Amino acid sequence: MTKPILLKLAGATLALAISATTVWAQADTEAPPGATPAPLVTEEAPEAGEAEASTVIITEEEEASEPEVAQTDTTTGEATGDVQATGVGDPPTAGAEAPEEPPRDDEAGEPATASDEPYVFNTLLFLMGGFLVMFMAAGFAMLEAGLVRAKNASMQCLKNIALYSIAGIMFWVLGYNLMYLDVDTAENIEALANYLGTFSIKEIPAPAADAGDYSAASDWFFQMVFCATTASIVSGTIAERTRLWPFLIFVAFLTGILYPVTGSWEWGGGWLDDQGFSDFAGSTLVHSVGGWAALAGALVVGARAGKFAPNGVIHPMPGSSIPLATLGTFILWLGWFGFNGGSQLALGSAENAASVAKIFVNTNTAAASGVIVTIFLTQIFYRKVDVTMALNGCLAGLVSITAEPLTPTVAQAAFIGGIGGVIVVVFVPLLDKLRVDDVVGAIPVHLVAGIWGTMIVPFTNSDATYYVQLIGVASVGALAFFASLIAWLILAAVVGLRATPEEEAVGLDSSEVGVLAYPEFGSSRA
């Protein structure tokens, strides 16, 4: 009897020793900072009948021989000893350890380092912002196809995919370097010959040689989709009576020369930038330029047949699909987050990330305010809510906040976007009274709201002044309008701009495209 009792006592003692060792080891790993770490002990399960368990001891010397983890500063992206990089896709967290990241698969074959992070995040912002703005091309196509009559819907779809493609080629062949490469500020009369950038093709470097704070290719793509947006504005205003090929020729001029030249004055570091002009994402440089070009085109091509009666009566010409136009508006609203958010041009630090987020909030608030104000005003003035006005109120709110989406508070963004809604309600009927036929309402939305958004910048941004903002609006507007007017007049005289009365009556889908948007209704549908 004595032997079994002794064995039981020995087993109990061994179990107590194992438990105490385990508790001691865990308590040591949770010691406060500055405490001397103890060896880590790992217990192995004892075999049956064994009186002792083997242990594996990890000494301090062995811990010190483990590979070090790259450490990154969360605000600058530079290597430091304070913050350790976490796993892929997670933000850096102080004190958190992570496994080494695999080497970057590039031509150099070198592993990614902490200094790559700003480059990667900035490039990602350009690419994400760029494809969101590219999707705005679909928004413009759907909006215009819904607001024109059924017999012209295919024409608008064709014009929008064609103008995006032309912009993609022209901005590579000519536009980008004309806008950004060696722009002269023309401080003296001799420099006037170099008052803009360089007439040359944009070269995209090989990935291994693509130095800087972001990828040159991502920057070109982001800037190109802005150029295409400018041309999209023109398409809807002169719809239903303008021939295809003259319009496409004008798009080549607009995207290859006119837009890059006006853009170089500010974004290219030109003379307006030297003066202190501020246009964050293009209320003037994109939207007003497109609006001035559209106004010039509408004046030259004239109104649609039957729109304005000789006795002053205005005949409404409802669009083919309000659901399609609404879809287009929502697509544009979505794309505008890339338009404004991407214009921060950096995502490599915590402050830049927070700025992009604030821009998103202000952009959304301005659009929502534009819609709500338009709904209330149309109910008051017309006793019914006009859905097309509400759609344009959204877009006018977006254009209004585009010149400065970062510095306003949310309340200020709501005010700025709300005035955009007022502009739509006032200027759409005013254009009709002036007998200017703007099919989709692009002139109030992009031109007038663009001017408003640019002029209100000093209200929230103390670095801007009303005087310089006025100089920028007037100078860009003068060049955009008169250069466009001359181009439209030349096209009207040389190749003919306006469709014939017979072509207009049957619809441009039949006369210019040859494919009906709604064939089941026949070509005679209004």
Side-chain angles (χ1 to χ4, degrees):
M1 294 296 293
T2 304
K3 188 174 181 179
I5 292 174
L6 292 175
L7 287 174
K8 290 179 180 180
L9 287 173
T13 303
L14 180 60
L16 270 171
I18 293 172
S19 300
T21 303
T22 304
V23 170
W24 167 75
Q26 291 177 346
D28 185 73
T29 59
E30 299 173 355
T36 303
L40 302 179
V41 181
T42 303
E43 299 290 341
E44 295 182 357
E47 297 288 337
E50 287 187 358
E52 296 181 1
S54 60
T55 61
V56 178
I57 306 298
I58 301 176
T59 66
E60 294 182 10
E61 290 77 14
E62 289 173 329
E63 282 189 307
S65 65
E66 293 183 358
E68 295 183 357
V69 181
Q71 299 179 351
T72 308
D73 187 281
T74 55
T75 57
T76 64
E78 297 178 355
T80 70
D82 300 324
V83 182
Q84 296 182 346
T86 61
V88 177
D90 296 326
T93 304
E97 294 184 355
E100 288 184 319
E101 294 187 10
R104 185 176 61 192
D105 187 15
D106 57 15
E107 292 184 14
E110 298 178 356
T113 64
S115 62
D116 288 333
E117 289 187 7
Y119 183 97
V120 171
F121 281 108
N122 294 342
T123 298
L124 183 64
L125 179 67
F126 277 127
L127 294 176
M128 294 180 65
F131 70 63
L132 281 171
V133 179
M134 184 270 173
F135 197 43
M136 290 174 70
F140 278 112
M142 296 301 96
L143 176 69
E144 294 172 17
L147 292 182
V148 300
R149 290 170 290 179
K151 61 185 180 182
N152 297 301
S154 286
M155 178 65 156
Q156 291 309 113
C157 294
L158 175 61
K159 285 165 65 179
N160 275 276
I161 196 169
L163 69 85
Y164 179 82
S165 303
I166 291 170
I169 299 299
M170 292 302 298
F171 202 67
W172 165 62
V173 171
L174 188 59
Y176 185 92
N177 284 350
L178 195 59
M179 189 168 176
Y180 290 106
L181 184 61
D182 299 329
V183 177
D184 202 304
T185 56
E187 294 176 352
N188 55 69
I189 193 66
E190 290 82 6
L192 286 176
N194 298 319
Y195 201 49
L196 33 81
T198 305
F199 286 89
S200 62
I201 296 176
K202 169 64 176 176
E203 294 184 5
I204 304 297
D210 197 355
D213 296 328
Y214 46 79
S215 162
S218 69
D219 174 55
W220 176 87
F221 176 68
F222 184 71
Q223 304 298 340
M224 181 276 294
V225 291
F226 273 59
C227 179
T229 299
T230 308
S232 297
I233 296 166
V234 183
S235 173
T237 294
I238 58 174
E240 299 199 309
R241 73 274 199 197
T242 307
R243 295 173 57 212
L244 176 65
W245 287 103
F247 170 76
L248 298 184
I249 294 171
F250 179 82
V251 167
F253 164 71
L254 176 64
T255 57
I257 297 178
L258 180 55
Y259 168 79
V261 169
T262 54
S264 72
W265 292 354
E266 161 63 6
W267 290 343
W271 70 275
L272 274 180
D273 184 62
D274 281 355
Q275 294 290 319
F277 180 69
S278 180
D279 190 2
F280 190 93
S283 286
T284 285
L285 299 178
V286 175
H287 296 282
S288 285
V289 167
W292 286 116
L295 176 60
L299 294 176
V300 173
V301 75
R304 289 168 290 177
K307 174 65 177 179
F308 303 116
N311 59 1
V313 175
I314 301 169
H315 294 140
M317 294 181 171
S320 62
S321 175
I322 294 301
L324 200 60
T326 305
L327 173 63
T329 302
F330 271 115
I331 292 173
L332 289 169
W333 194 334
L334 172 65
W336 230 285
F337 295 118
F339 201 96
N340 287 355
S343 295
Q344 177 66 16
L345 305 182
L347 194 62
S349 71
E351 182 178 354
N352 281 319
S355 295
V356 173
K358 185 181 181 184
I359 289 169
F360 275 36
V361 172
N362 283 343
T363 298
N364 191 75
T365 301
S369 180
V371 172
I372 292 170
V373 168
T374 306
I375 288 174
F376 273 106
L377 290 180
T378 52
Q379 178 68 56
I380 293 170
F381 293 158
Y382 306 119
R383 303 298 177 90
K384 291 182 181 178
V385 178
D386 188 331
V387 63
T388 62
M389 289 276 200
L391 300 180
N392 277 330
C394 167
L395 300 180
L398 290 165
V399 172
S400 299
I401 200 64
T402 294
E404 185 48 83
L406 177 59
T407 58
T409 65
V410 178
Q412 290 170 336
F415 166 72
I416 293 169
I419 298 299
V422 174
I423 287 171
V424 167
V425 176
V426 171
F427 278 87
V428 167
L430 178 60
L431 284 178
D432 283 341
K433 291 180 180 179
L434 296 174
R435 303 178 75 84
V436 176
D437 188 8
D438 180 1
V439 177
V440 301
I443 293 172
V445 167
H446 298 279
L447 173 55
V448 184
I451 293 172
W452 153 249
T454 307
M455 290 303 304
I456 199 61
V457 168
F459 177 63
T460 61
N461 185 351
S462 60
D463 293 333
T465 65
Y466 292 104
Y467 174 69
V468 174
Q469 295 299 100
L470 180 60
I471 290 176
V473 168
S475 58
V476 171
L479 179 62
F481 177 75
F482 288 108
S484 297
L485 185 64
I486 292 170
W488 287 123
L489 289 171
I490 292 173
L491 288 170
V494 175
V495 298
L497 188 60
R498 176 101 188 213
T500 66
E502 294 77 17
E503 291 171 336
E504 190 174 345
V506 73
L508 300 185
D509 286 3
S510 296
S511 62
E512 291 270 337
V513 182
V515 177
L516 301 179
Y518 306 101
E520 65 273 20
F521 295 106
S523 61
S524 62
R525 187 185 180 198

